[in-house]
Amino acid sequence: MSTSAPRLAQPAGTAPGDGTVTDRLVEANRAYAAGFADPGMGARPVLGVAVVACMDARIDLHAALGLELGDCHTVRNAGGVVTDDTIRSLTISQRALGTRSVVLIHHTGCGLESLTEDFRIELEMEVGQRPAWAVESFRDVDQDVRQSMRRVRTSPFLPHTDDVRGFVFDVSTGLLREIDPGD
C-alpha cells in the first residue's frame, strides 16, 4: 500500500499566486480523500517502535526506513532533540500504545548547528517575552545524539529503555550512521 500523496500541483482553475499554500494542501487532501480507503488499523504501531527525528523537510522518514502506514509512531521537532514534550509523546507511545523501541535520528547540515541560545534573547527583544523553551542548539551532532539517547534511557516515565538507538542521517547520501552511546 502506498502512503505517498501526489505532489502539490497548482489547483485547477487558479493562476500561480492565487490562494495560499494551505489552500493547496486542502485541495490535495480532497484528491487524496477521494481515493482513500480506511486501512482498518488501530493506533498501536505494528512494529512497536517510535521514531524521533528532526523536522527537516529533506528527510522522508518512511521512505528512508522502509516503513509503511501504521508501522511506527513518529515524533518530529527542530533537531530531533529529546525535550520534555518528546518524553511526553514517548511516554504515551509506550504506556498507552505499546511501543518498546526508540530510534533517534538527527542529520547532517542541521539548522540547529547554526543557532545559539541567543535566539531566545533575540525573540524576547522582538516580542517582549522570552520563550519558556530552550533552542537546544548544538555544535556536534554525534554528541547531541548521545545526549538524546541518555535523556530517553534515564527518563523515569519510560518503562522500555533497553532498545534505544541513535543515528545521524546524511542528507547527501540518504544513509544512516549509528552513534555509539558512549555509556
Side-chain angles (χ1 to χ4, degrees), residues 7-176:
R7 291 296 291 169
L8 292 176
Q10 190 66 32
T14 62
D18 286 353
T20 67
V21 171
T22 304
D23 292 333
R24 290 178 59 207
L25 297 174
V26 170
E27 185 63 30
N29 173 257
R30 286 187 188 109
Y32 170 78
F36 183 77
D38 181 356
M41 60 180 66
R44 288 179 175 263
V46 173
L47 299 179
V49 64
V51 178
V52 178
C54 185
M55 66 185 192
D56 193 291
R58 297 171 290 181
I59 305 170
D60 182 347
L61 281 176
H62 277 74
L65 301 175
L67 296 168
E68 295 290 331
L69 181 66
D71 281 348
C72 73
H73 282 158
T74 305
V75 180
R76 294 186 83 159
N77 64 32
V81 296
V82 176
T83 62
D84 286 346
D85 195 57
T86 305
I87 294 294
R88 171 189 159 271
S89 294
L90 291 174
T91 301
I92 292 166
S93 178
Q94 287 190 357
R95 291 182 177 269
L97 297 165
T99 61
R100 298 182 67 87
S101 300
V102 178
V103 173
L104 304 168
I105 301 177
H106 288 32
H107 66 91
T108 58
C110 185
L112 283 187
E113 291 175 290
S114 63
L115 290 177
T116 68
E117 293 298 320
D118 288 342
F119 183 78
R120 293 173 67 232
I121 296 167
E122 293 164 8
L123 278 173
E124 179 181 22
M125 292 173 68
E126 180 182 329
V127 302
Q129 180 178 343
R130 183 177 291 185
W133 41 263
V135 174
E136 297 279 350
S137 60
F138 54 87
R139 295 283 177 252
D140 182 336
V141 67
D142 290 18
Q143 184 56 33
D144 204 62
V145 172
R146 285 185 196 96
Q147 175 176 287
S148 290
M149 285 189 279
R150 276 192 301 277
R151 286 179 176 173
V152 170
R153 288 181 174 153
T154 61
S155 173
F157 306 110
L158 299 174
H160 307 292
T161 59
D162 55 327
D163 188 13
V164 177
R165 293 171 65 186
F167 301 85
V168 174
F169 177 86
D170 187 313
V171 297
S172 298
T173 67
L175 288 172
L176 288 175

